[in-house]
Amino acid sequence: MEKLSDYSIFQNHAIGAHALWEFARHYEEYSESKEAPVLLLAMPVLPIVFNKRATDCIKGRRMKEGSLIKTITENKDIYSGLQERMELSSDLTFKSVYMAVSANILIYDRETTQLIPNRKSEPQIKNYEDYVDIMASSRRIGAWFAKLSVQEITQYFNIKF
């Protein structure tokens, strides 16, 4: 029998669905147009928030755009392999989106490819510090991405969609 690690326990579709909901909810809240994020922007979220070092750097930051730039500048090594991690995590991201849509916490609009938060109140799951940290990081990434264009996101993180 294979031994489960904390890493594999926390990288599951249910937690991914919750993290993507937090991301989409905060993206929509901080967006000037109150638009939901497109699916494309969700692709780097799980590879970032499921990285313990990245989460530790992000979770306590402010929701302002400058905080994103500062965390990238101070921790370049954490984000250097994001493109590869994003590609390797695409299956997890898509399954997490599917779970979020199935659980009715996100709506996927096929026409616009937006991930629309379908629930406003946060589930009260506060048992594990790492879980709380992942959700805090997801909220901040949503707020940060809402203030940036796709071009700026790809430039800052050195990724391609």
Side-chain angles (χ1 to χ4, degrees):
M1 185 197 282
E2 184 180 332
K3 183 181 175 189
L4 289 175
S5 67
D6 288 344
Y7 183 80
S8 63
I9 291 169
F10 274 102
Q11 287 198 359
N12 69 52
H13 309 119
I15 294 171
H18 186 183
L20 291 175
W21 173 76
E22 291 284 5
F23 162 77
R25 186 169 70 102
H26 280 75
Y27 184 101
E28 185 179 70
E29 180 181 333
Y30 283 85
S31 168
E32 287 184 22
S33 62
K34 300 302 177 199
E35 291 280 326
V38 293
L39 177 61
L40 191 72
L41 293 178
M43 298 308 291
V45 174
L46 297 183
I48 293 172
V49 302
F50 283 163
N51 179 300
K52 176 80 169 131
R53 284 188 57 224
T55 298
D56 286 344
C57 294
I58 295 170
K59 67 182 179 185
R61 300 280 181 162
R62 297 175 61 177
M63 300 285 193
K64 297 187 180 209
E65 178 186 337
S67 294
L68 168 64
I69 307 302
K70 190 171 182 179
T71 190
I72 292 172
T73 303
E74 291 175 352
N75 305 285
K76 289 180 183 171
D77 62 314
I78 293 175
Y79 302 102
S80 64
L82 184 57
Q83 178 71 41
E84 183 180 2
R85 289 194 324 266
M86 190 172 72
E87 291 170 8
L88 292 172
S89 299
S90 63
D91 187 54
L92 173 64
T93 299
F94 289 130
K95 287 179 179 177
S96 296
V97 168
Y98 178 78
M99 180 170 274
V101 170
S102 297
N104 206 27
I105 60 174
L106 284 178
I107 297 169
Y108 177 68
D109 184 324
R110 290 179 188 214
E111 302 252 334
T112 64
T113 72
Q114 288 179 306
L115 296 174
I116 304 163
N118 195 33
R119 177 184 170 153
K120 299 298 178 195
S121 61
E122 183 178 347
Q124 296 302 311
I125 303 172
K126 305 285 185 197
N127 296 336
Y128 300 101
E129 184 179 338
D130 288 343
Y131 189 85
V132 172
D133 292 349
I134 289 169
M135 296 311 129
S137 296
S138 297
R139 289 183 205 107
R140 280 153 183 79
I141 293 169
W144 293 338
F145 279 21
K147 302 292 184 188
L148 302 170
S149 68
V150 172
Q151 292 80 14
E152 289 171 316
I153 293 167
T154 58
Q155 182 180 21
Y156 290 151
F157 289 103
N158 194 28
I159 55 175
K160 295 182 240 175
F161 293 114

